[in-house]
Amino acid sequence: MTLAAASPASPGAAGCGEPAVAKERGQREVFCGLTGIVWLHRKIQDAFFLVVGSRTCAHLLQSAAGVMIFAEPRFATAIIEERDLAGLADANEALEQIVGTLLARRPDIRMLFLVGSCPSEVIKLDLAEAARRLTRRHLPQVRVLHYSGSGIETTFTEGEDACLAALVPELPAARDDAPALMVVGALAEVVEDQFRRLFAAMGIGPVGFLPPRLSTDLPAVGPGTRFLMAQPFLAGTARALEARGARLVPAPFPLGAEGTTLWLRAAADDWGVTPRAFHEATAFGEQRARRALSARRERLHGLRVGFFPDSQLEVPLARFLARELGMVPTEIGTPYLHRDHMAPEVALLPPGTRIVEGQHVENQLDRFRAERPDLTVCGLGLANPLEAEGLATKWSIELVFSPIQGYEQAGDLAELFVRPLARRARLEV
Amino acid sequence: MQLAVWTYEGPPHVGAMRVATAMEGLHYVLHAPQGDTYADLLFTMIERRHRRPPVTYTTFQARDLGGDTAELLKAAALDAVARFRPQALLVGASCTAELIQDDPGGLARTLGLPVPVVPIELPSYQRKENWGAAETLYRLVRAFAQPRSTPRGDRPTCNILGPTALGFRHRDDLVEIRGLLARLGVDVNVVAPLGATPADLARLGEADFNVVLYPETAGVAAEWLARTFDQKATTVVPIGVGATRDFIAEVAGLASIDARPILAAETSRLPWYSRSVDSNYLTGKRVFVFGDATHAIAAARVAAKELAFEVVGLGTYSREQARDVRAAARDLGLEALISDDYLAVEAAIAAAQPELVLGTQMERHIAKKLGIPCAVISAPVHVQDFPARHSPQMGFEGANVLFDTWVHPLMMGLEEHLLRMFRDDFEFHDEAGASHLGAAPAPVPVPVAVEAVRWAQDAESELRKIPFFVRGKARRNTEAFAAERGLATITLETLYDAKAHFAR
């Protein structure tokens, strides 16, 4: 449980292409994958997420969803009780009954996800079999899929990865080998529409999005499909897409003016878009983004920023803050670092940046207390206690729920980091 | 299996966390999978605590399940003792760890730790949060409480039992009750669990009797203390004027003192406010009451006897205290609703057609949906019900708070109703003007048709994607931006140009 060799990158390296990645094990102050349901159910508008778990799981969703819990959300928990633990046959029957009730009450639902949890995994409840059985019963109205969002298998955003990976076998096969682009990862609708317009302006198409807004609009996949990851936490989904013949277009993630341009350019180069057409499509957006960032740069330039692990967005965010706003990353914690997917990002980090994969929260707190970065990005369990110790914090979960990708959101993204510092500067009590 | 969207209570280990977090010098090692740390933010965010809860999670993952989860538990316990140097260690399992059967308490005891280890067994698939809190306090009291070692003094002494972390108004209730006991001449020996150390628990036996503020969390411990040390406990929860007076009389009896002077001197504004003619319209208002058993029973009494409402529904999600709620409901001629299914509560409220709902955060939303005024009387509550200002529910000041809190939504409801009713009345309509000044209504100037900036279709639909609470600002800014530049049409580009412009 000790931090192994957190040595900085070799001095003089242009970036940290050979990054100093330390691994750490111990207590993790992170969410489990069930939390992904909170934004996924907003995205796929005709899907329902039924967690098969304990009262703890229901309590977690309630705490994570906040006020959303009162808006007739399309998720719920089938709480395992003592009598379900006695024999597995009963649990399956009970589950079928609950799904029957649920679907009768919500006839608008077209896709149902049975979401595994720690308790359901430990008692080895076979949700795959349950999903098959329920699909047979409820087709053609409803398709029943399953994935695990358990804490023993998934950290926070990995819940989305597990969900999308479960969707991949459902994607229709492309009719031919004609090129098509797929953007993978849930994005806010406003961001998705901006990207759609940019691809159209470059002449790239057809463009599909995974997940789609409706479960009946699943994008097709085939050997002509190339996919661009809009989120960094989708290792399993990428593997599943590759298994169906699709090809990954490596790129940094579309955060900030530079990140968005590099991301779009990766697609454009792969598609054979001319530099001129690319410039015409993106120049205005990029300029606008840089304009929106310039004012924030004055506030953030030279300040040190550290990240606690949370969503796997930490490395791309640190890259954005370092290169476009002049911040100095101290420690970048991340729950998991996919070496290949993250390579374009890591290459852009300033030399000497320290990446820590995994977590021993107490040791990490000790390091942050010693280093005292000007801004600490962390979860809500740590934020107020660190503020009380005099460290400025930015709570990280907002970075997952807010539209932050693309040119038009670059300024908003920077603002999320400016605000806590501006607030501290204003307060006189 | 039980289908749930809302849960009134968390799992029992959250109850144990509420006790551990309330105390000082105690650390809780919780055998739990990655992710269960979510519960920390209930304490750091909803209650706005300065410190992390004193809980170490073993955070086991799938790859650990092969067999070394027991080792993780041992390492976590050793680490926690070395780092936090607690007086005692609480050790238990969350729901998933309960299934893998590592026996956390037994394992921790084999480590030869320099501090006492208190194992707690919380059946996660049968019990819930309040039961977990009560069981934890009981186990701790059993482990540490010693019989009286000093002779009884001149002044009567008591313990105050029940206030926890994440308790609805526990902080301020404690202030009220401490004040009341001081004015009665009763000394407080130990308050537990809030603020107590394991060493303080050892001194519980020194008190003459116990004051039980919240039976949900302290009932079991108080019964054990009564059996073991012959300490009697209070049975009245001092919420409302009548209950506070009964509580004073009960405490005076246990302390063998004369309650008459203080009963004569202590006052609340509630009785006069309730008797003032302004409150006439409250008579017979139909009210539905739901919450934990303690607060629901107390609220029903205040509603019926101190505000002259008609209680048309009474219920609780606390199955452990269901009998008391049933008795209270019977006294009001009602059948109690005992349920932790919010849909059943919603159906009962809809059927009872109340004019006011007193309940939890859930009932607040049910009431909002049904368009009924509502006030919060019980956990679970959200962040706004851990207020900065002093706002107890107990004692005479608590009664003042209850009056204001419950009457306010009715006044607001009445105001809104009147305004809506008179909106089309000839005297009150928009163009009527201030008639009581005798002036004829001024003609409303017809706005000169200005060349309005036109919104292109795509820009207009893009604007609709902006959240409603900032949409107005975005529209104003964009139109100002377009007007400044003499643009006749706002396109998508204009919208985002303006956004970037105002970002500066």
Side-chain angles (χ1 to χ4, degrees), chain A residues 39-74:
Chain A
W39 67 87
L40 282 169
H41 90 282
R42 304 302 307 164
K43 183 74 197 178
I44 316 177
Q45 293 158 13
D46 57 355
F48 194 100
F49 294 78
L50 180 65
V51 176
V52 183
S54 63
R55 179 167 300 280
T56 310
C57 306
H59 198 233
L60 158 86
L61 280 177
Q62 179 163 322
S63 307
V67 177
M68 222 185 256
I69 202 91
F70 298 111
E72 300 277 333
R74 278 173 283 100

mmCIF file of all heavy atoms in Angstrom, chain A residues 39-74:
data_model
loop_
_atom_site.group_PDB
_atom_site.id
_atom_site.type_symbol
_atom_site.label_atom_id
_atom_site.label_comp_id
_atom_site.label_asym_id
_atom_site.label_seq_id
_atom_site.Cartn_x
_atom_site.Cartn_y
_atom_site.Cartn_z
ATOM 1 N N TRP A 39 -26.122 10.390 -15.288
ATOM 2 C CA TRP A 39 -26.147 11.160 -16.537
ATOM 3 C C TRP A 39 -26.564 10.317 -17.742
ATOM 4 O O TRP A 39 -27.160 10.825 -18.679
ATOM 5 C CB TRP A 39 -24.813 11.875 -16.790
ATOM 6 C CG TRP A 39 -23.617 11.005 -17.064
ATOM 7 C CD1 TRP A 39 -23.218 10.511 -18.267
ATOM 8 C CD2 TRP A 39 -22.654 10.545 -16.115
ATOM 9 N NE1 TRP A 39 -22.070 9.772 -18.123
ATOM 10 C CE2 TRP A 39 -21.690 9.778 -16.821
ATOM 11 C CE3 TRP A 39 -22.505 10.706 -14.746
ATOM 12 C CZ2 TRP A 39 -20.610 9.166 -16.205
ATOM 13 C CZ3 TRP A 39 -21.418 10.101 -14.119
ATOM 14 C CH2 TRP A 39 -20.486 9.345 -14.849
ATOM 15 N N LEU A 40 -26.306 8.987 -17.706
ATOM 16 C CA LEU A 40 -26.666 8.157 -18.864
ATOM 17 C C LEU A 40 -28.181 8.135 -19.095
ATOM 18 O O LEU A 40 -28.639 8.137 -20.224
ATOM 19 C CB LEU A 40 -26.155 6.730 -18.660
ATOM 20 C CG LEU A 40 -24.665 6.532 -18.931
ATOM 21 C CD1 LEU A 40 -24.223 5.168 -18.435
ATOM 22 C CD2 LEU A 40 -24.356 6.701 -20.410
ATOM 23 N N HIS A 41 -28.955 8.138 -17.997
ATOM 24 C CA HIS A 41 -30.405 8.044 -18.197
ATOM 25 C C HIS A 41 -30.969 9.338 -18.772
ATOM 26 O O HIS A 41 -32.013 9.338 -19.401
ATOM 27 C CB HIS A 41 -31.122 7.635 -16.904
ATOM 28 C CG HIS A 41 -31.536 8.773 -16.037
ATOM 29 N ND1 HIS A 41 -30.654 9.440 -15.223
ATOM 30 C CD2 HIS A 41 -32.730 9.392 -15.863
ATOM 31 C CE1 HIS A 41 -31.294 10.397 -14.577
ATOM 32 N NE2 HIS A 41 -32.539 10.398 -14.948
ATOM 33 N N ARG A 42 -30.248 10.462 -18.567
ATOM 34 C CA ARG A 42 -30.692 11.702 -19.201
ATOM 35 C C ARG A 42 -30.409 11.651 -20.697
ATOM 36 O O ARG A 42 -31.097 12.262 -21.502
ATOM 37 C CB ARG A 42 -29.978 12.933 -18.615
ATOM 38 C CG ARG A 42 -30.083 13.125 -17.126
ATOM 39 C CD ARG A 42 -31.481 13.227 -16.624
ATOM 40 N NE ARG A 42 -32.308 14.232 -17.286
ATOM 41 C CZ ARG A 42 -33.622 14.254 -17.200
ATOM 42 N NH1 ARG A 42 -34.267 13.331 -16.508
ATOM 43 N NH2 ARG A 42 -34.314 15.192 -17.811
ATOM 44 N N LYS A 43 -29.331 10.949 -21.048
ATOM 45 C CA LYS A 43 -28.860 10.925 -22.428
ATOM 46 C C LYS A 43 -29.711 10.004 -23.306
ATOM 47 O O LYS A 43 -30.162 10.402 -24.359
ATOM 48 C CB LYS A 43 -27.391 10.461 -22.431
ATOM 49 C CG LYS A 43 -26.738 10.437 -23.761
ATOM 50 C CD LYS A 43 -26.426 11.833 -24.230
ATOM 51 C CE LYS A 43 -26.154 11.843 -25.716
ATOM 52 N NZ LYS A 43 -25.902 13.190 -26.197
ATOM 53 N N ILE A 44 -29.893 8.762 -22.857
ATOM 54 C CA ILE A 44 -30.696 7.805 -23.649
ATOM 55 C C ILE A 44 -32.128 7.918 -23.134
ATOM 56 O O ILE A 44 -32.469 7.390 -22.081
ATOM 57 C CB ILE A 44 -30.167 6.362 -23.505
ATOM 58 C CG1 ILE A 44 -28.636 6.333 -23.613
ATOM 59 C CG2 ILE A 44 -30.790 5.465 -24.569
ATOM 60 C CD1 ILE A 44 -28.027 4.959 -23.408
ATOM 61 N N GLN A 45 -32.942 8.621 -23.895
ATOM 62 C CA GLN A 45 -34.216 9.082 -23.341
ATOM 63 C C GLN A 45 -35.297 8.007 -23.223
ATOM 64 O O GLN A 45 -36.319 8.228 -22.577
ATOM 65 C CB GLN A 45 -34.733 10.260 -24.174
ATOM 66 C CG GLN A 45 -33.833 11.474 -24.026
ATOM 67 C CD GLN A 45 -33.978 12.445 -25.184
ATOM 68 O OE1 GLN A 45 -34.904 12.357 -25.985
ATOM 69 N NE2 GLN A 45 -33.048 13.386 -25.275
ATOM 70 N N ASP A 46 -35.096 6.854 -23.853
ATOM 71 C CA ASP A 46 -36.114 5.814 -23.725
ATOM 72 C C ASP A 46 -35.558 4.580 -23.007
ATOM 73 O O ASP A 46 -36.065 3.484 -23.153
ATOM 74 C CB ASP A 46 -36.674 5.426 -25.101
ATOM 75 C CG ASP A 46 -35.579 4.961 -26.040
ATOM 76 O OD1 ASP A 46 -34.395 5.031 -25.651
ATOM 77 O OD2 ASP A 46 -35.907 4.530 -27.161
ATOM 78 N N ALA A 47 -34.494 4.792 -22.233
ATOM 79 C CA ALA A 47 -33.896 3.671 -21.502
ATOM 80 C C ALA A 47 -34.181 3.805 -20.007
ATOM 81 O O ALA A 47 -34.330 4.905 -19.489
ATOM 82 C CB ALA A 47 -32.392 3.638 -21.729
ATOM 83 N N PHE A 48 -34.280 2.667 -19.353
ATOM 84 C CA PHE A 48 -34.468 2.637 -17.901
ATOM 85 C C PHE A 48 -33.335 1.809 -17.308
ATOM 86 O O PHE A 48 -32.946 0.782 -17.864
ATOM 87 C CB PHE A 48 -35.822 2.009 -17.548
ATOM 88 C CG PHE A 48 -36.244 2.245 -16.122
ATOM 89 C CD1 PHE A 48 -37.167 3.237 -15.811
ATOM 90 C CD2 PHE A 48 -35.706 1.481 -15.082
ATOM 91 C CE1 PHE A 48 -37.547 3.467 -14.496
ATOM 92 C CE2 PHE A 48 -36.085 1.713 -13.764
ATOM 93 C CZ PHE A 48 -37.012 2.704 -13.471
ATOM 94 N N PHE A 49 -32.784 2.266 -16.191
ATOM 95 C CA PHE A 49 -31.671 1.574 -15.537
ATOM 96 C C PHE A 49 -32.146 1.006 -14.215
ATOM 97 O O PHE A 49 -32.518 1.754 -13.315
ATOM 98 C CB PHE A 49 -30.501 2.549 -15.307
ATOM 99 C CG PHE A 49 -29.864 3.029 -16.581
ATOM 100 C CD1 PHE A 49 -30.466 4.018 -17.345
ATOM 101 C CD2 PHE A 49 -28.675 2.483 -17.026
ATOM 102 C CE1 PHE A 49 -29.897 4.459 -18.531
ATOM 103 C CE2 PHE A 49 -28.084 2.914 -18.211
ATOM 104 C CZ PHE A 49 -28.701 3.900 -18.963
ATOM 105 N N LEU A 50 -32.164 -0.312 -14.130
ATOM 106 C CA LEU A 50 -32.594 -0.961 -12.894
ATOM 107 C C LEU A 50 -31.378 -1.600 -12.222
ATOM 108 O O LEU A 50 -30.829 -2.594 -12.714
ATOM 109 C CB LEU A 50 -33.657 -2.030 -13.193
ATOM 110 C CG LEU A 50 -34.172 -2.785 -11.951
ATOM 111 C CD1 LEU A 50 -34.909 -1.845 -11.010
ATOM 112 C CD2 LEU A 50 -35.091 -3.930 -12.365
ATOM 113 N N VAL A 51 -30.955 -1.011 -11.115
ATOM 114 C CA VAL A 51 -29.836 -1.565 -10.364
ATOM 115 C C VAL A 51 -30.340 -2.737 -9.537
ATOM 116 O O VAL A 51 -31.398 -2.646 -8.909
ATOM 117 C CB VAL A 51 -29.240 -0.500 -9.408
ATOM 118 C CG1 VAL A 51 -28.130 -1.099 -8.554
ATOM 119 C CG2 VAL A 51 -28.726 0.688 -10.197
ATOM 120 N N VAL A 52 -29.627 -3.833 -9.588
ATOM 121 C CA VAL A 52 -29.954 -4.952 -8.696
ATOM 122 C C VAL A 52 -28.896 -4.907 -7.605
ATOM 123 O O VAL A 52 -27.730 -5.231 -7.844
ATOM 124 C CB VAL A 52 -29.938 -6.295 -9.446
ATOM 125 C CG1 VAL A 52 -30.341 -7.415 -8.504
ATOM 126 C CG2 VAL A 52 -30.865 -6.236 -10.649
ATOM 127 N N GLY A 53 -29.283 -4.437 -6.427
ATOM 128 C CA GLY A 53 -28.284 -4.202 -5.392
ATOM 129 C C GLY A 53 -28.875 -4.106 -4.006
ATOM 130 O O GLY A 53 -29.939 -4.670 -3.725
ATOM 131 N N SER A 54 -28.190 -3.380 -3.146
ATOM 132 C CA SER A 54 -28.619 -3.289 -1.754
ATOM 133 C C SER A 54 -29.177 -1.897 -1.479
ATOM 134 O O SER A 54 -29.208 -1.035 -2.366
ATOM 135 C CB SER A 54 -27.420 -3.531 -0.840
ATOM 136 O OG SER A 54 -26.472 -2.499 -1.052
ATOM 137 N N ARG A 55 -29.592 -1.688 -0.244
ATOM 138 C CA ARG A 55 -30.059 -0.362 0.167
ATOM 139 C C ARG A 55 -28.945 0.665 -0.008
ATOM 140 O O ARG A 55 -29.204 1.833 -0.300
ATOM 141 C CB ARG A 55 -30.520 -0.429 1.627
ATOM 142 C CG ARG A 55 -31.002 0.857 2.215
ATOM 143 C CD ARG A 55 -31.723 0.645 3.522
ATOM 144 N NE ARG A 55 -32.877 -0.213 3.334
ATOM 145 C CZ ARG A 55 -34.048 0.198 2.856
ATOM 146 N NH1 ARG A 55 -34.227 1.451 2.558
ATOM 147 N NH2 ARG A 55 -35.036 -0.651 2.683
ATOM 148 N N THR A 56 -27.691 0.218 0.169
ATOM 149 C CA THR A 56 -26.555 1.127 -0.007
ATOM 150 C C THR A 56 -26.535 1.674 -1.433
ATOM 151 O O THR A 56 -26.307 2.864 -1.645
ATOM 152 C CB THR A 56 -25.231 0.385 0.276
ATOM 153 O OG1 THR A 56 -25.341 -0.288 1.529
ATOM 154 C CG2 THR A 56 -24.058 1.341 0.323
ATOM 155 N N CYS A 57 -26.800 0.797 -2.414
ATOM 156 C CA CYS A 57 -26.795 1.228 -3.817
ATOM 157 C C CYS A 57 -27.875 2.287 -4.053
ATOM 158 O O CYS A 57 -27.636 3.304 -4.707
ATOM 159 C CB CYS A 57 -27.030 0.047 -4.751
ATOM 160 S SG CYS A 57 -25.898 -1.319 -4.485
ATOM 161 N N ALA A 58 -29.076 2.026 -3.523
ATOM 162 C CA ALA A 58 -30.173 2.984 -3.679
ATOM 163 C C ALA A 58 -29.817 4.308 -3.020
ATOM 164 O O ALA A 58 -30.078 5.386 -3.551
ATOM 165 C CB ALA A 58 -31.454 2.414 -3.058
ATOM 166 N N HIS A 59 -29.177 4.211 -1.862
ATOM 167 C CA HIS A 59 -28.782 5.401 -1.105
ATOM 168 C C HIS A 59 -27.721 6.183 -1.860
ATOM 169 O O HIS A 59 -27.751 7.417 -1.891
ATOM 170 C CB HIS A 59 -28.253 4.939 0.262
ATOM 171 C CG HIS A 59 -28.207 6.019 1.294
ATOM 172 N ND1 HIS A 59 -27.059 6.303 1.995
ATOM 173 C CD2 HIS A 59 -29.145 6.876 1.747
ATOM 174 C CE1 HIS A 59 -27.307 7.291 2.847
ATOM 175 N NE2 HIS A 59 -28.564 7.651 2.719
ATOM 176 N N LEU A 60 -26.788 5.474 -2.482
ATOM 177 C CA LEU A 60 -25.761 6.137 -3.287
ATOM 178 C C LEU A 60 -26.399 6.906 -4.433
ATOM 179 O O LEU A 60 -26.099 8.076 -4.654
ATOM 180 C CB LEU A 60 -24.770 5.120 -3.864
ATOM 181 C CG LEU A 60 -24.046 5.667 -5.104
ATOM 182 C CD1 LEU A 60 -22.829 6.453 -4.711
ATOM 183 C CD2 LEU A 60 -23.735 4.624 -6.104
ATOM 184 N N LEU A 61 -27.309 6.239 -5.175
ATOM 185 C CA LEU A 61 -27.935 6.904 -6.324
ATOM 186 C C LEU A 61 -28.697 8.135 -5.864
ATOM 187 O O LEU A 61 -28.663 9.178 -6.502
ATOM 188 C CB LEU A 61 -28.891 5.945 -7.037
ATOM 189 C CG LEU A 61 -28.225 4.943 -7.975
ATOM 190 C CD1 LEU A 61 -29.260 4.020 -8.562
ATOM 191 C CD2 LEU A 61 -27.470 5.666 -9.086
ATOM 192 N N GLN A 62 -29.384 8.002 -4.743
ATOM 193 C CA GLN A 62 -30.147 9.112 -4.190
ATOM 194 C C GLN A 62 -29.213 10.276 -3.837
ATOM 195 O O GLN A 62 -29.504 11.427 -4.118
ATOM 196 C CB GLN A 62 -30.866 8.608 -2.937
ATOM 197 C CG GLN A 62 -31.681 9.627 -2.220
ATOM 198 C CD GLN A 62 -32.651 8.935 -1.268
ATOM 199 O OE1 GLN A 62 -33.202 7.893 -1.572
ATOM 200 N NE2 GLN A 62 -32.858 9.501 -0.115
ATOM 201 N N SER A 63 -28.064 9.957 -3.249
ATOM 202 C CA SER A 63 -27.123 11.010 -2.851
ATOM 203 C C SER A 63 -26.491 11.640 -4.080
ATOM 204 O O SER A 63 -26.277 12.854 -4.124
ATOM 205 C CB SER A 63 -26.024 10.430 -1.960
ATOM 206 O OG SER A 63 -26.590 9.729 -0.890
ATOM 207 N N ALA A 64 -26.168 10.825 -5.087
ATOM 208 C CA ALA A 64 -25.498 11.351 -6.272
ATOM 209 C C ALA A 64 -26.465 12.118 -7.165
ATOM 210 O O ALA A 64 -26.085 13.084 -7.805
ATOM 211 C CB ALA A 64 -24.856 10.216 -7.059
ATOM 212 N N ALA A 65 -27.724 11.690 -7.191
ATOM 213 C CA ALA A 65 -28.674 12.317 -8.095
ATOM 214 C C ALA A 65 -29.234 13.609 -7.527
ATOM 215 O O ALA A 65 -29.748 14.441 -8.261
ATOM 216 C CB ALA A 65 -29.809 11.352 -8.419
ATOM 217 N N GLY A 66 -29.120 13.806 -6.209
ATOM 218 C CA GLY A 66 -29.612 15.040 -5.597
ATOM 219 C C GLY A 66 -31.073 15.267 -5.919
ATOM 220 O O GLY A 66 -31.892 14.357 -5.801
ATOM 221 N N VAL A 67 -31.381 16.460 -6.384
ATOM 222 C CA VAL A 67 -32.774 16.831 -6.623
ATOM 223 C C VAL A 67 -33.372 16.042 -7.789
ATOM 224 O O VAL A 67 -34.572 15.852 -7.877
ATOM 225 C CB VAL A 67 -32.874 18.343 -6.887
ATOM 226 C CG1 VAL A 67 -34.296 18.747 -7.223
ATOM 227 C CG2 VAL A 67 -32.414 19.120 -5.665
ATOM 228 N N MET A 68 -32.508 15.526 -8.678
ATOM 229 C CA MET A 68 -32.981 14.776 -9.837
ATOM 230 C C MET A 68 -33.870 13.604 -9.430
ATOM 231 O O MET A 68 -34.719 13.156 -10.180
ATOM 232 C CB MET A 68 -31.758 14.237 -10.578
ATOM 233 C CG MET A 68 -31.817 14.343 -12.073
ATOM 234 S SD MET A 68 -30.386 13.533 -12.766
ATOM 235 C CE MET A 68 -29.391 14.940 -13.199
ATOM 236 N N ILE A 69 -33.645 13.102 -8.220
ATOM 237 C CA ILE A 69 -34.371 11.938 -7.738
ATOM 238 C C ILE A 69 -35.872 12.212 -7.684
ATOM 239 O O ILE A 69 -36.681 11.316 -7.710
ATOM 240 C CB ILE A 69 -33.823 11.508 -6.349
ATOM 241 C CG1 ILE A 69 -34.142 10.058 -6.054
ATOM 242 C CG2 ILE A 69 -34.339 12.380 -5.243
ATOM 243 C CD1 ILE A 69 -33.091 9.121 -6.495
ATOM 244 N N PHE A 70 -36.251 13.493 -7.634
ATOM 245 C CA PHE A 70 -37.675 13.823 -7.512
ATOM 246 C C PHE A 70 -38.331 14.086 -8.863
ATOM 247 O O PHE A 70 -39.492 14.413 -8.932
ATOM 248 C CB PHE A 70 -37.847 15.037 -6.608
ATOM 249 C CG PHE A 70 -37.346 14.787 -5.215
ATOM 250 C CD1 PHE A 70 -36.219 15.435 -4.736
ATOM 251 C CD2 PHE A 70 -37.992 13.892 -4.390
ATOM 252 C CE1 PHE A 70 -35.749 15.193 -3.464
ATOM 253 C CE2 PHE A 70 -37.520 13.640 -3.116
ATOM 254 C CZ PHE A 70 -36.405 14.294 -2.650
ATOM 255 N N ALA A 71 -37.578 13.951 -9.939
ATOM 256 C CA ALA A 71 -38.102 14.291 -11.258
ATOM 257 C C ALA A 71 -38.512 13.037 -12.026
ATOM 258 O O ALA A 71 -38.299 12.966 -13.226
ATOM 259 C CB ALA A 71 -37.072 15.093 -12.032
ATOM 260 N N GLU A 72 -39.108 12.043 -11.350
ATOM 261 C CA GLU A 72 -39.517 10.802 -12.014
ATOM 262 C C GLU A 72 -38.391 10.271 -12.889
ATOM 263 O O GLU A 72 -38.556 10.095 -14.096
ATOM 264 C CB GLU A 72 -40.771 11.036 -12.875
ATOM 265 C CG GLU A 72 -41.968 11.515 -12.102
ATOM 266 C CD GLU A 72 -42.741 10.378 -11.440
ATOM 267 O OE1 GLU A 72 -42.703 9.251 -11.941
ATOM 268 O OE2 GLU A 72 -43.376 10.637 -10.400
ATOM 269 N N PRO A 73 -37.217 10.048 -12.321
ATOM 270 C CA PRO A 73 -36.092 9.637 -13.140
ATOM 271 C C PRO A 73 -36.290 8.228 -13.671
ATOM 272 O O PRO A 73 -37.048 7.443 -13.107
ATOM 273 C CB PRO A 73 -34.917 9.675 -12.169
ATOM 274 C CG PRO A 73 -35.525 9.401 -10.847
ATOM 275 C CD PRO A 73 -36.896 10.016 -10.885
ATOM 276 N N ARG A 74 -35.573 7.901 -14.752
ATOM 277 C CA ARG A 74 -35.699 6.580 -15.338
ATOM 278 C C ARG A 74 -34.629 5.649 -14.776
ATOM 279 O O ARG A 74 -33.846 5.069 -15.504
ATOM 280 C CB ARG A 74 -35.639 6.686 -16.860
ATOM 281 C CG ARG A 74 -36.995 7.078 -17.457
ATOM 282 C CD ARG A 74 -36.943 7.364 -18.932
ATOM 283 N NE ARG A 74 -36.373 8.667 -19.196
ATOM 284 C CZ ARG A 74 -35.121 8.886 -19.571
ATOM 285 N NH1 ARG A 74 -34.320 7.874 -19.770
ATOM 286 N NH2 ARG A 74 -34.691 10.108 -19.771
#
